[in-house]
Amino acid sequence: MRVSDIMNTRVFTIPPTTILQEAAAIFDRNRIDGALVVDGSGHLIGLITKSHLIKAQAKNQMDQQVDAVMTTSVFTLRDTVSLSELQRPNRVFSYSVFPVVDSENRPIGIISRTDLVKYLSEKSLRLAEEMQAVLNAIYNGVIVTDAEGIVTMFNRAAENLTGQNAVNVIGRLVDDVMPNTGLRRVLELGAPELNQKQNLGNCQILTNRSPILKNNKIAGAVAIFQDITQLSAVAAELEEVKSLKSTLESALESFFENIVIVDKKGYIKMMNSSYGDYLGLDQHDVVGKHVTEVIDNTRMHIVAATGKAEVAEVQRIRDKDCVVTRIPIIKDGEVIGAVGKSLFKDLKDLKAMARQMNTLQHQLEYYKEELRKVQGGKFTFDSIVGKSEKMEWLKTVAVKAAKGNSTVLVLGESGTGKELFAHAIHNASGRLHGPLIKVNCAAVPENLLESELFGYDEGAFTGARRGGKPGKFELANGGSIFLDEIGDMTLAMQAKLLRVLQEKEIERVGGTKPVKVDVRVIAATNRDLEGMIERGDFRQDLYYRLNIISLQIPPLRERKEDIPLLSSTLLKKINNQTPHWVEGVSPEAMEILMEYSWPGNVRELENILERAVNLMDEEALITPDNLPPVLKKQHKNKDVDEGGKHLAGIMGDTEKQAIYRALEAAGGNKSKAAQILGIHRSGFYQKLKKYGLSV
């Protein structure tokens, strides 16, 4: 143990300019007997105790400063010092209190002499208990006496062999307990007596007696004895060894593989029947022969001589290529032989197994990929729809950012696709096969966010799961973590997150040990972080740590040229979720969509299209009538043509004429007419109904 293990970290410090009267009040208020005196830099310069105050009170000097009466000769300790070092002769025992300081002489703890005495007492008691436990675990009987022949130790085996209880033996003269132990003679002569036989009751024991020397003086004697009738047990063990040898031989015989054992010179000591049958020989007849006389192209004698194993080697035996392994047998650091095993009696068997392993490997890779799809990101950069100049540039930057491990901050209004970029960055990075863990910081209650992110240990709070629970950062180890709505995180949690980003380690709630994590952080928010910093709602140091690579996703109103492509892509997704199939958006409706300001961005566009599809009957295209009123309010009517007809009417007439011409070309066959127009048959029927055409 070290000083840091027993020191009290509750340390009271006061400056040297403190008036003694004020120091006394501090002592009384905090119920302490002393305090450490530190200078303006926090360095220890002295010690003041109640004794100093009492002496000052007796002399009516309580108006003096602490530095006038304090003890400046203070013996300090470092928290890394071993407690065992303090047991050596040292002036440490001349003091009643020992401040513990760091490398810059700043107090970090305190130890009293009582603490040291308690530790040393407990350690001595523990050592005595351990010594007694060791002696009681010894199979042989042990008797120990002091220099006067008084029994001081009598272990459990001695109790069993003598039939006497240690309580009744310890403290008595050894001759009164066991008259023929010979320990008195050892004490007088100081010479050991080894391998002495003597009778003990109805059995005979073998004993060793030795003097105990301390500073070249006889301090006692010890006798260790054993009932030699136990030798019969040894004989029984030998029989058991023989039985075990027979069992091992039977086990070798039961193996399907070919097995042979040779001695150090290469002579066969054992061969199982499987190998004998493979060679067409009786395995008993080959014992004693050199292995080269029995097995073709063998190297068993070489392995036995060199001690170098040969694993999975191809050997030609009886016109077949076999896969064999040769392992040296080592005993007490010396090679005494070798064992050979034929893993495959024919190389064809190995090739069949290789094919099977290859199949299993492909299956494993498939399941690993499926698991990656579940744990990893769902979207790639191909999933991000947009051909506008801003989106193309943004995707180019994001692809470059994905190649590194730096933190990425994704900014943008709600509904612009920040999470899509987070998924795409993860899937384009080297952490592709690691997990992508997603956390919405705004959705988790403030009092649960810390345990959600960093996990907790067992017993951290009431209701904590047994064994604790890993946090999101631990689950994301080796991969990425997406912290959405980072701007909604409290200042307290911001400080803890900053430490994780700096130290690359987390500490569970209720835990004491930091846990290293290898996680890439991708954060996102729709809030103005710089404005929050000015208001004091967001830490500036955390912002700089997050803002290493920043991606500002433009709102939909700034990239309206992407609306047609987005609409087409979203409709494909919506069509798979609804029973009604819509082919696209009419030009009139698209004009309205292009004019709208889109405060909800892409998410709002998807919702409006989904609403339109669900409210449509049999129409093939989304028209202005299918759009919500809020969009149509902003729509401005276009100038009509010279004949006063709107563009929609012109397009309707054109569409009618195209249908008539297609029906004429198809001879009235509606399916062929739909093929000519390049539209789906159901859409063709919808258009016939729309224009009231009946053919």
Side-chain angles (χ1 to χ4, degrees):
M1 293 181 68
R2 300 190 179 277
V3 166
S4 59
D5 296 322
I6 68 170
M7 72 179 185
N8 185 353
T9 57
R10 188 169 177 260
V11 181
F12 288 88
T13 61
I14 58 177
T17 57
T18 305
I19 303 302
L20 293 178
Q21 188 69 39
E22 183 182 348
I26 294 174
F27 280 26
D28 181 66
R29 186 166 56 253
N30 294 285
R31 297 182 180 180
I32 57 177
D33 296 327
L36 303 180
V37 184
V38 298
D39 60 18
S41 300
H43 299 127
L44 180 67
I45 60 174
L47 172 69
I48 183 168
T49 65
K50 279 187 175 179
S51 298
H52 294 106
L53 298 178
I54 293 171
K55 290 178 181 179
Q57 180 68 37
K59 295 179 181 179
N60 293 321
Q61 297 174 345
M62 294 300 285
D63 57 342
Q64 291 186 346
Q65 294 184 163
V66 166
D67 56 1
V69 300
M70 69 180 184
T71 299
T72 57
S73 177
V74 182
F75 184 78
T76 60
L77 300 173
R78 292 295 298 278
D79 60 336
T80 56
V81 173
S82 172
L83 289 174
S84 60
E85 295 178 17
L86 300 182
Q87 299 176 53
R88 303 173 182 174
N90 199 310
R91 63 189 179 118
V92 71
F93 296 104
S94 302
Y95 300 89
S96 60
V97 176
F98 310 100
V100 184
V101 297
D102 60 15
S103 59
E104 297 181 5
N105 201 38
R106 290 190 175 94
I108 59 174
I110 193 166
I111 296 178
S112 67
R113 182 185 294 167
T114 303
D115 293 329
L116 285 176
V117 171
K118 181 181 178 182
Y119 164 75
L120 295 175
S121 299
E122 290 176 349
K123 183 177 180 182
S124 298
L125 181 60
R126 186 166 61 252
L127 288 175
E129 291 175 348
E130 290 176 355
M131 177 63 70
Q132 188 62 48
V134 170
L135 289 175
N136 285 334
I138 295 176
Y139 184 73
N140 295 340
V142 178
I143 301 176
V144 181
T145 72
D146 62 13
E148 304 300 325
I150 303 297
V151 178
T152 59
M153 198 169 291
F154 197 80
N155 75 341
R156 190 167 295 141
E159 288 181 327
N160 296 333
L161 290 172
T162 64
Q164 300 191 63
N165 193 297
V167 176
N168 300 325
V169 172
I170 295 176
R172 297 172 59 188
L173 283 170
V174 68
D175 288 345
D176 294 341
V177 180
M178 297 176 63
N180 60 343
T181 60
L183 287 177
R184 293 289 298 181
R185 185 168 56 254
V186 171
L187 288 171
E188 294 171 1
L189 301 177
E193 297 178 357
L194 306 178
N195 299 322
Q196 300 297 308
K197 291 182 180 180
Q198 70 179 74
N199 292 323
L200 184 64
N202 296 325
C203 64
Q204 191 178 47
I205 63 172
L206 189 66
T207 180
N208 290 329
R209 312 179 190 108
S210 304
I212 301 174
L213 301 177
K214 186 175 182 181
N215 297 327
N216 294 324
K217 292 183 179 180
I218 297 176
V222 58
I224 302 175
F225 52 97
Q226 178 185 2
D227 186 354
I228 59 175
T229 56
Q230 296 295 321
L231 293 176
S232 60
V234 175
E237 289 180 7
L238 290 175
E239 289 298 324
E240 186 176 348
V241 170
K242 291 181 180 179
S243 175
L244 179 61
K245 179 177 179 293
S246 177
T247 301
L248 290 175
E249 290 175 344
S250 299
L252 288 175
E253 287 298 314
S254 65
F255 286 152
F256 174 75
E257 294 90 344
N258 298 338
I259 298 176
V260 61
I261 300 175
V262 300
D263 63 15
K264 187 174 182 179
K265 295 183 179 180
Y267 289 92
I268 297 176
K269 304 294 291 183
M270 187 181 297
M271 177 183 284
N272 67 350
S273 57
S274 177
Y275 212 158
D277 294 341
Y278 183 74
L279 297 173
L281 302 170
D282 188 329
Q283 74 268 29
H284 300 293
D285 294 340
V286 301
V287 174
K289 293 183 178 181
H290 199 271
V291 68
T292 56
E293 302 175 19
V294 179
I295 303 175
D296 300 338
N297 305 308
T298 184
R299 290 177 53 83
M300 288 289 295
H301 56 298
I302 298 175
V303 171
T306 62
K308 295 181 179 180
E310 297 178 354
V311 180
E313 298 285 343
V314 178
Q315 179 179 338
R316 188 76 173 176
I317 305 176
R318 296 297 172 97
D319 299 326
K320 289 184 179 179
D321 291 324
C322 304
V323 180
V324 301
T325 290
R326 313 175 188 99
I327 305 294
I329 302 172
I330 301 175
K331 182 180 180 182
D332 298 329
E334 181 182 355
V335 179
I336 62 171
V339 58
K341 177 180 179 181
S342 175
L343 302 177
F344 296 95
K345 298 177 181 178
D346 196 328
L347 201 57
K348 295 178 181 178
D349 299 334
L350 175 60
K351 293 179 179 178
M353 178 173 286
R355 287 193 295 270
Q356 184 179 3
M357 289 295 293
N358 191 41
T359 301
L360 293 175
Q361 182 66 29
H362 285 305
Q363 292 177 354
L364 176 62
E365 292 298 328
Y366 169 77
Y367 290 121
K368 284 172 64 177
E369 179 63 21
E370 291 300 310
L371 180 62
R372 187 196 67 77
K373 291 178 181 178
V374 174
Q375 289 188 337
K378 299 178 182 178
F379 310 105
T380 65
F381 284 110
D382 292 335
S383 307
I384 301 174
V385 179
K387 296 296 183 181
S388 62
E389 183 179 347
K390 288 185 178 181
M391 288 302 291
E392 289 291 349
W393 178 85
L394 192 62
K395 284 193 282 186
T396 301
V397 174
V399 169
K400 293 179 180 179
K403 296 177 182 178
N405 283 310
S406 299
T407 302
V408 178
L409 179 61
V410 185
L411 303 172
E413 297 178 4
S414 179
T416 53
K418 296 186 292 295
E419 185 170 350
L420 263 69
F421 271 88
H423 283 245
I425 290 171
H426 172 78
N427 281 332
S429 71
R431 299 173 179 268
L432 167 66
H433 298 290
L436 171 63
I437 302 300
K438 299 167 282 294
V439 182
N440 188 322
C441 301
V444 182
E446 179 183 344
N447 60 334
L448 298 179
L449 185 57
E450 182 177 0
S451 60
E452 183 73 11
L453 290 177
F454 309 135
Y456 57 81
D457 276 351
E458 182 175 346
F461 48 82
T462 303
R465 181 188 300 177
R466 179 177 296 179
K469 178 185 176 182
K472 298 297 187 182
F473 270 91
E474 286 185 75
L475 296 176
N477 193 38
S480 308
I481 186 169
F482 175 49
L483 301 178
D484 198 7
E485 306 296 349
I486 193 75
D488 293 88
M489 188 177 287
T490 63
L491 288 171
M493 278 303 303
Q494 291 176 29
K496 295 178 181 179
L497 176 61
L498 177 63
R499 181 182 179 277
V500 174
L501 294 176
Q502 291 176 337
E503 304 298 331
K504 303 297 184 183
E505 63 183 25
I506 59 99
E507 190 170 298
R508 288 186 176 187
V509 176
T512 57
K513 296 180 179 179
V515 179
K516 286 288 184 183
V517 289
D518 174 23
V519 178
R520 182 189 198 168
V521 175
I522 305 173
T525 183
N526 59 1
R527 304 184 67 175
D528 178 13
L529 295 184
E530 294 183 355
M532 292 178 67
I533 292 172
E534 294 179 359
R535 296 190 300 272
D537 295 331
F538 200 84
R539 292 179 64 104
Q540 189 176 41
D541 48 3
L542 176 60
Y543 174 72
Y544 291 143
R545 193 69 188 177
L546 291 173
N547 197 33
I548 296 176
I549 300 176
S550 178
L551 300 177
Q552 180 72 49
I553 304 179
L556 186 56
R557 60 182 172 274
E558 294 181 8
R559 57 181 186 108
K560 288 187 177 181
E561 59 267 40
D562 289 333
I563 291 178
L565 182 59
L566 281 168
S567 300
S568 176
T569 303
L570 291 173
L571 278 176
K572 291 178 181 177
K573 173 184 174 182
I574 295 169
N575 283 334
N576 292 327
Q577 300 171 353
T578 58
H580 183 56
W581 183 272
V582 175
E583 294 182 2
V585 181
S586 70
E588 301 91 338
M590 182 58 69
E591 183 180 356
I592 296 175
L593 295 180
M594 294 290 287
E595 290 179 356
Y596 185 55
S597 59
W598 297 109
N601 295 295
V602 180
R603 186 182 293 118
E604 184 183 10
L605 174 60
E606 181 177 2
N607 293 339
I608 286 175
L609 292 175
E610 185 174 351
R611 172 189 180 277
V613 172
N614 279 286
L615 295 179
M616 292 171 65
D617 293 325
E618 298 296 330
E619 299 94 326
L621 298 174
I622 295 175
T623 65
D625 293 337
N626 306 129
L627 299 177
V630 66
L631 269 72
K632 290 183 284 188
K633 277 184 180 181
Q634 295 188 11
H635 178 59
K636 296 179 181 179
N637 293 327
K638 300 294 181 181
D639 293 331
V640 296
D641 59 9
E642 295 179 356
K645 183 176 289 186
H646 288 283
L647 176 63
I650 298 173
M651 294 186 66
D653 292 341
T654 303
E655 197 169 47
K656 284 182 183 180
Q657 294 176 9
I659 293 172
Y660 276 123
R661 286 196 295 271
L663 286 170
E664 290 176 0
N669 189 310
K670 297 177 182 179
S671 297
K672 290 183 179 180
Q675 291 177 359
I676 293 172
L677 293 172
I679 62 175
H680 195 272
R681 186 174 61 181
S682 62
F684 184 79
Y685 278 93
Q686 291 172 6
K687 292 183 183 297
L688 291 176
K689 182 178 179 181
K690 175 181 177 181
Y691 296 115
L693 300 177
S694 176
V695 180

